[in-house]
Amino acid sequence: MSSASELPALDPVYRLVVAEDAYLIREGIRSALERDKDEVEVLEYCPDLDSLLHAVEEHRPNVVITDIRMPPTNTDEGIRAAAALRESHPEIGVVVISQYVSPHYALKLFEHGSAGRAYLLKEHVGHRIQLMEAIREVSRGGSVVDPKVVDVLVKARTKARNSPLAQLTPREREVLAGIAEGKSNAAVAKSLFLTKRAVEKNINSIFSKLNLDDDVDVSRRVIASLLFLADTELETTDGLPKQQHPSPN
């Protein structure tokens, strides 16, 4: 008869709280996790940010799976939850799931470190192996990024390096951002605590670096604004055309 010390070690049980307000996605996660119920225990399913944070305090899970967009605002609740948990419960791993590739949200998730964080697309959540790999990885302080998100981040980095705006100084980008918002030189100067002359000097430098010659027919301010907005569009959308944002989840 084997002694207790000779018995095989049991696999760790991952104690989870899942936050997802979309029924079909939630049931997909439930179905995937039930196939690993010897390894996973779901403590609570939550429909919004407040209930997620409450469940964490009540159950003290070691991993949280959360959608990016949930009530009450359906914007970035999952990212905010991950940031809050890094402060209050740094030992808890967080798997953030999103329906669409969002470089902006991915960067926000990892801006204070990648340890114990994963970013997955919902299309892969139903694949039990990928979901379990993410759970195991974040529980031990590792990180996982969906390959499709990596591809978009690489393209964004390449785009930024090749952008004509890459040669602008930080101050010139601030001035250009003000121009893109439709502000006058005086308004830009006031918002940045600069003199009007300093703003004009920065604007002339911007036009020079962007090779915008003086043209009576075409406004250089408009062209510069369009260049700026095109350059920053990838950071402010979820990888979709601006007029085709999906409904939450």
Side-chain angles (χ1 to χ4, degrees):
M1 183 174 179
S2 299
S3 65
S5 62
E6 295 173 335
L7 293 176
L10 296 176
D11 290 332
V13 174
Y14 299 102
R15 304 173 71 252
L16 309 182
V17 166
V18 178
E20 171 59 69
D21 64 309
Y23 174 79
L24 291 178
I25 300 297
R26 186 170 62 247
E27 290 305 301
I29 295 173
R30 189 194 306 272
S31 176
L33 295 177
E34 282 181 351
R35 283 177 280 174
D36 284 286
K37 56 186 176 182
D38 290 339
E39 191 176 3
V40 170
E41 178 188 6
V42 180
L43 305 167
E44 187 171 339
Y45 287 90
C46 307
D48 53 42
L49 177 60
D50 289 343
S51 61
L52 166 60
L53 297 178
H54 182 271
V56 168
E57 293 302 324
E58 179 180 354
H59 301 294
R60 298 300 174 97
N62 48 24
V63 175
V64 164
I65 299 175
T66 178
D67 187 9
I68 280 185
R69 297 176 175 182
M70 298 181 294
T73 68
N74 290 304
T75 54
D76 63 347
E77 279 77 8
I79 301 297
R80 286 190 282 145
L85 293 177
R86 188 177 293 283
E87 292 294 323
S88 62
H89 302 287
E91 74 284 358
I92 296 178
V94 179
V95 179
V96 172
I97 57 176
S98 176
Q99 187 168 354
Y100 295 93
V101 177
S102 174
H104 173 69
Y105 287 143
L107 293 173
K108 287 284 289 181
L109 176 64
F110 297 115
E111 69 178 348
H112 296 300
S114 60
R117 296 294 179 267
Y119 188 106
L120 294 182
L121 295 182
K122 288 185 178 181
E123 64 187 73
H124 295 149
V125 168
H127 298 289
R128 176 180 59 85
I129 293 176
Q130 288 180 275
L131 182 58
M132 285 305 304
E133 285 178 350
I135 291 171
R136 295 185 190 105
E137 193 64 29
V138 299
S139 72
R140 56 177 176 251
S143 62
V144 176
V145 184
D146 194 287
K148 286 190 177 181
V149 178
V150 173
D151 287 344
V152 172
L153 290 173
V154 170
K155 290 177 182 176
R157 179 65 61 85
T158 302
K159 178 177 181 288
R161 286 200 300 264
N162 296 332
S163 168
L165 272 64
Q167 58 189 315
L168 300 185
T169 66
R171 176 62 78 188
E172 288 167 350
R173 287 187 67 92
E174 290 176 338
V175 171
L176 182 53
I179 293 174
E181 292 172 5
K183 293 179 180 177
S184 65
N185 289 3
V188 172
K190 183 177 180 181
S191 65
L192 297 178
F193 302 100
L194 297 174
T195 64
K196 188 176 178 181
R197 181 173 177 80
V199 169
E200 291 171 351
K201 183 178 178 180
N202 276 280
I203 289 174
N204 287 332
S205 178
I206 290 168
F207 290 161
S208 175
K209 290 180 178 179
L210 298 182
N211 295 317
L212 297 178
D213 297 326
D214 194 3
D215 192 323
V216 295
D217 296 320
V218 180
S219 170
R220 293 184 295 174
R221 293 175 75 95
V222 171
I223 295 175
S225 298
L226 291 174
L227 286 171
F228 177 81
L229 293 173
D231 195 69
T232 56
E233 180 179 12
L234 185 60
E235 300 176 0
T236 57
T237 67
D238 290 345
L240 298 173
K242 278 185 176 291
Q243 301 303 319
Q244 298 180 19
H245 275 291
S247 59
N249 301 300

